[in-house]
Amino acid sequence: MSVVSTPPTASAPARRDAEATKAAILKAARHLLARHAHADITLKAVAERAGVSPPLILKYFGNKDALFARVMSFEADADALLDAPLEELGRHMVRLVLFGQSRQGADPLLRIVFAPLHGEQGDILRANFRTQVTERLTARLTGPDAGLRAELAVAALLGLGVVYGIARGTHVRAADLDDVVDRYAPVVQQHLTPGTPPSRP
C-alpha cells in the first residue's frame, strides 16, 4: 500500500497577505485620524483608502472602536522612534519623521496634533501619547529637567511634521531630506543631550 503525501498548504503566504492587509488598514486609519475628526471617519472611508472592503475591516478588527483603539496607541511608533543610542537619537527621530512622511505616507507622531477634534477619543490619544512617547523619552534622558527637555524635543519633531505634512511647506518639501535632517537634528539633539555636540553620520 503506497503512502500518498500531500503537499504543504500555502498558509505562510496567506498569513503574510493577512498581515499586509491589516497593516494597510491601520495605515489608512492613521492617515485619516491625522486629518479628520474621529466621529467623521467611516469604515467605508478607511476601506477605500486601504483598498479593501469594509467587511474585511470587521473581520480583522471587529468594529470601528477596536480599530481606532489600535490606531490611538503609540506603542509601536515609540519603539521605532526611540530605537537609537541617546547620542544619535535626535538625528534618528528627525529622519524617521521626514522619511516616514515622504516615502511611507505616515508620521509616527502627527495624529496627536488633531486630538482636540476627537472628543473623548482625544483624551485617550493624549494619555497614550504622554505615557507611550514623552514619558518613555524622559526615562531615556539624564540630567536636570528631563521631562521638560523630552517635551521640547517632541515639540520640535511635531513642528517639523506639521510643516512638512500639513502646511506642506514648499521649501522644506523641495529640499534634499538628508540636508533637512543635517540642519534640524541638532535642534532636537540639544534638548536630549544639552551641551553635547551632536553626532554626525
Side-chain angles (χ1 to χ4, degrees):
M1 179 175 173
S2 63
V3 176
V4 178
S5 62
T6 57
T9 60
S11 59
R15 275 197 298 273
R16 282 198 297 272
D17 288 346
E19 291 306 311
T21 300
K22 289 179 188 176
I25 292 168
L26 288 169
K27 181 178 177 181
R30 286 175 55 168
H31 176 90
L32 292 171
L33 190 68
R35 290 156 179 82
H36 305 281
H38 174 268
D40 295 336
I41 303 170
T42 63
L43 286 183
K44 183 173 182 289
V46 176
E48 287 177 354
R49 181 160 189 88
V52 302
S53 66
L56 199 57
I57 297 178
L58 297 177
K59 174 185 174 183
Y60 287 135
F61 295 97
N63 56 41
K64 177 181 171 179
D65 288 341
L67 169 63
F68 278 92
R70 289 278 299 275
V71 173
M72 289 183 184
S73 172
F74 292 90
E75 289 270 2
D77 301 297
D79 288 345
L81 194 69
L82 301 177
D83 188 24
L86 184 57
E87 63 274 11
E88 301 168 10
L89 192 55
R91 182 176 188 84
H92 169 77
M93 293 195 295
V94 170
R95 187 175 178 81
L96 194 69
V97 166
L98 284 175
F99 282 79
Q101 283 204 18
S102 65
R103 298 186 182 172
Q104 299 168 358
D107 184 297
L109 304 176
L110 202 55
R111 57 197 185 280
I112 190 60
V113 174
F114 293 88
L117 297 177
H118 301 310
E120 291 181 5
Q121 286 79 15
D123 293 336
I124 296 170
L125 202 60
R126 289 186 193 93
N128 288 347
F129 189 84
R130 225 175 4 253
T131 58
Q132 296 168 358
V133 179
T134 53
E135 289 181 11
R136 279 185 62 185
L137 178 57
T138 299
R140 292 277 309 271
L141 305 185
T142 58
D145 302 318
L148 174 61
R149 286 159 41 216
E151 289 185 353
L152 289 173
V154 170
L157 292 171
L158 286 171
L160 180 62
V162 167
V163 169
Y164 190 95
I166 298 174
R168 301 181 75 80
T170 54
H171 297 287
V172 172
R173 293 176 71 88
D176 178 78
L177 292 187
D178 284 316
D179 182 43
V180 177
V181 172
D182 287 343
R183 291 169 180 259
Y184 206 78
V187 174
V188 177
Q189 190 66 40
Q190 277 302 305
H191 296 301
L192 304 177
T193 53
T196 303
S199 175
R200 297 301 293 260

